[in-house]
């Protein structure tokens, strides 16, 4: 993506979201790019996924539902069953990225679609977008600092910590939990159990 293409993408996304939301999107992009550089994955993909991750955030529930239900991708349609309506903007964003912005890379589409719930088997790009959205400097909720301290040590441990905190928050407040979030927490719990602890410092 050239600087001009990035500028065009930002201008286009700005037409669909508030100025405040656009500031959040740009903070997510900045952190996602930093994480992509640190973890050795494509900065361009991180930038594209971050700029588009909330493109559907201010669409109506009926628009988002229609987009997700009519998707060609079964793993996107699966998210239409969510009991948490807030989740829908993520798969709807992936549909818009594909249909209106010509994004065909499955890693970018999955990163957008799973940025709210997480999912088992997330790749590096999907973890980075999820975590950049969770940890961008505009976030100030309890526990965010704990995840920030893990970002450059282990993406999997960061995911496990973030998902555990999210599930605790949702359950404590009696809010609906999407099955992808529960499955992702179980997946990262198994992964983290198998990651050897860092070697003791001499
Ligand atoms: Fe979002
Ligand atoms: Fe976001």
């Amino acid at each position: 993506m050239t600087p001009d293409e990035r500028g065009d993408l930002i201008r286009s996304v700005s037409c669909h979201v508030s100025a405040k939301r656009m500031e959040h999107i740009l903070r997510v992009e900045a952190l996602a790019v930093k994480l992509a550089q640190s973890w050795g994955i494509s900065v361009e993909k991180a930038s594209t996924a971050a700029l588009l991750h909330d493109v559907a955030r201010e669409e109506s529930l009926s628009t988002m539902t229609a987009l997700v239900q009519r998707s060609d991708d079964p793993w996107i349609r699966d998210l239409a069953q969510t009991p948490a309506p807030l989740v829908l903007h993520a798969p709807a964003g992936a549909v818009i990225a594909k249909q209106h912005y010509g994004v065909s890379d499955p890693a970018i589409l999955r990163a957008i679609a799973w940025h709210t719930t997480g999912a088992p088997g997330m790749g590096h790009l999907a973890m980075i977008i999820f975590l950049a959205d969770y940890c961008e400097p505009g976030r100030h909720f309890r526990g965010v600092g704990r995840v920030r301290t893990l970002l450059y040590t282990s993406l999997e441990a960061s995911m496990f910590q973030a998902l555990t905190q999210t599930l605790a928050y949702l359950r404590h407040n009696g809010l609906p939990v999407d099955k992808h979030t529960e499955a992702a927490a179980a997946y990262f719990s198994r992964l983290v159990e198998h990651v050897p602890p860092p070697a003791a410092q001499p």
Side-chain angles (χ1 to χ4, degrees):
M1 185 162 52
T2 65
D4 279 354
E5 287 167 342
R6 178 175 172 273
D8 287 346
L9 186 52
I10 290 171
R11 268 186 293 283
S12 173
V13 172
S14 309
C15 297
H16 299 279
V17 299
S18 66
K20 217 173 157 198
R21 180 93 48 208
M22 198 65 221
E23 287 170 17
H24 157 72
I25 289 171
L26 291 172
R27 289 193 300 268
V28 172
E29 187 207 18
L31 180 53
V33 163
K34 224 170 128 188
L35 288 168
Q37 284 166 337
S38 175
W39 288 101
I41 71 152
S42 163
V43 165
E44 179 168 344
K45 288 185 189 187
S47 175
T48 304
L51 290 176
L52 287 169
H53 86 280
D54 270 346
V55 70
R57 184 67 177 79
E58 290 166 27
E59 295 296 339
S60 68
L61 195 57
S62 58
T63 301
M64 290 190 287
T65 305
L67 282 170
V68 177
Q69 280 177 345
R70 287 192 215 128
S71 168
D72 301 337
D73 299 300
W75 60 273
I76 287 187
R77 280 202 308 277
D78 192 39
L79 283 152
Q81 314 305 323
T82 185
L86 177 73
V87 162
L88 278 174
H89 79 278
V95 174
I96 292 172
K98 190 174 175 180
Q99 292 181 352
H100 298 276
Y101 292 92
V103 175
S104 56
D105 186 325
I108 297 178
L109 297 175
R110 279 167 201 221
I112 298 170
W114 290 338
H115 84 262
T116 306
T117 56
M122 292 167 88
H124 275 63
L125 182 62
M127 291 193 282
I128 281 173
I129 298 301
F130 181 100
L131 291 165
D133 187 43
Y134 192 92
C135 291
E136 61 94 342
R139 304 291 201 198
H140 300 292
F141 51 85
R142 204 152 61 116
V144 69
R146 232 169 296 149
V147 181
R148 285 189 183 123
T149 61
L150 293 167
L151 288 176
Y152 299 93
T153 312
S154 165
L155 290 174
E156 291 80 4
S158 304
M159 285 299 306
F160 178 62
Q161 183 67 37
L163 288 162
T164 302
Q165 290 175 181
T166 297
L167 283 173
Y169 172 83
L170 294 172
R171 287 178 181 141
H172 181 77
N173 290 286
L175 295 167
V177 176
D178 186 90
K179 65 179 181 183
H180 293 76
T181 307
E182 285 176 322
Y187 170 80
F188 284 104
S189 162
R190 285 194 299 275
L191 278 191
V192 170
E193 273 172 25
H194 292 100
V195 173
Q201 296 296 313

